[in-house]
Amino acid sequence: NGPLHATRVARRAGIENVLIPRDPGVGSAIGFLYAPISFEIVRSHYTTLDQLDTADINGLFEAMVGEAEKVVRKGAPNDAVIRQRTAFMRYHGQGHEIEIMLDDRAISADDIPVLRNLFETEYRRQFARSVPGMIIEILNWAVRVSTVEQPPAPMASPSRTRNLKPELTRQIRCDVSGAMVDAGVYYRADLNPGDHLPGPALIIEPQTTTLVSADFTARVDGGGNLLLSRTNPQGTGS
């Protein structure tokens, strides 16, 4: 229902432009299909940094990487993959951990002071100061293996502009004036890049309806998205 309420929320929030993507009702599903194939594993293995057994941790990481990569390879047998390793660290006695990114390689004893520095640098970034002399604990270790995210294809600008007039209208209560008004009715499947239409209007598609309020206009960009723009951002409609 987001597109049905978007212009009203934008007006109250002082937002002048709203983007309604293609297929907004199933956007999460489409995003899932376009997202990299990935699998993440988190395992508990408590230790203090000073007592870190690097052989144990390297064995834990090796097993997690192998398990995660096996899952990813079922969907992407030959794709290049990225491996990310994380340690969840905290000062002794604290209630929550900080995620510290690690290099994708085995840990050696020489890395212990490096881990301490990484943790305290990130702790200072989040909380403005570190606590010298405190015992540092590591509770959990994580591995994420994923395929490489592909950049989106460039979006071409519309090759022409067309101002639309509705062939069908429907009476609605205007959310700006409160009066009953005629709203133009359009079907999104019939719209093309470069099309412009004024509010009040209803743009109908299978999953939802977009309300273009009286103080907004709509246009279709080169990717088929709807861009709703407020026509009187300083007006009394706010």
Side-chain angles (χ1 to χ4, degrees), residues 75-98:
N78 302 309
D79 292 18
V81 295
I82 299 172
R83 302 171 187 86
Q84 297 175 316
R85 303 184 182 206
T86 307
F88 292 78
M89 305 173 69
R90 70 182 187 185
Y91 284 124
H92 175 69
Q94 289 187 321
H96 107 218
E97 300 84 46
I98 293 176

Side-chain angles (χ1 to χ4, degrees), residues 9-48:
V9 174
R11 186 185 307 112
R12 289 181 176 272
I15 296 170
E16 298 181 16
N17 296 291
V18 178
L19 184 71
I20 310 293
R22 293 182 299 173
D23 303 307
V26 291
S28 295
I30 292 173
F32 177 79
L33 293 174
Y34 276 93
I37 298 173
S38 66
F39 194 77
E40 184 174 10
I41 300 173
V42 181
R43 295 270 162 80
S44 296
H45 189 295
Y46 175 82
T47 181
T48 63

Side-chain angles (χ1 to χ4, degrees), residues 18-159:
V18 178
L19 184 71
I20 310 293
R22 293 182 299 173
D23 303 307
V26 291
S28 295
I30 292 173
F32 177 79
L33 293 174
Y34 276 93
I37 298 173
S38 66
F39 194 77
E40 184 174 10
I41 300 173
V42 181
R43 295 270 162 80
S44 296
H45 189 295
Y46 175 82
T47 181
T48 63
L49 185 59
D50 291 336
Q51 297 177 339
L52 179 65
D53 186 324
T54 57
D56 278 355
I57 298 305
N58 288 332
L60 178 68
F61 269 132
E62 185 176 350
M64 287 195 295
V65 169
E67 183 179 341
E69 188 161 338
K70 186 176 180 181
V71 174
V72 171
R73 288 303 180 197
K74 291 181 179 180
N78 302 309
D79 292 18
V81 295
I82 299 172
R83 302 171 187 86
Q84 297 175 316
R85 303 184 182 206
T86 307
F88 292 78
M89 305 173 69
R90 70 182 187 185
Y91 284 124
H92 175 69
Q94 289 187 321
H96 107 218
E97 300 84 46
I98 293 176
E99 296 183 33
I100 302 300
M101 299 298 298
L102 310 177
D103 292 336
D104 181 29
R105 59 172 177 79
I107 297 173
S108 70
D110 293 339
D111 291 314
I112 292 176
V114 176
L115 286 172
R116 181 182 301 276
N117 182 62
L118 288 172
F119 170 75
E120 292 187 336
T121 298
E122 179 61 18
Y123 195 92
R124 284 193 297 270
R125 188 189 72 80
Q126 294 190 28
F127 304 107
R129 61 184 295 270
S130 58
V131 186
M134 283 284 288
I135 295 173
I136 297 174
E137 302 174 323
I138 310 175
L139 280 75
N140 299 301
W141 309 81
V143 161
R144 181 176 183 265
V145 178
S146 66
T147 56
V148 179
E149 183 174 1
Q150 300 301 317
M155 186 178 68
S157 299
S159 59

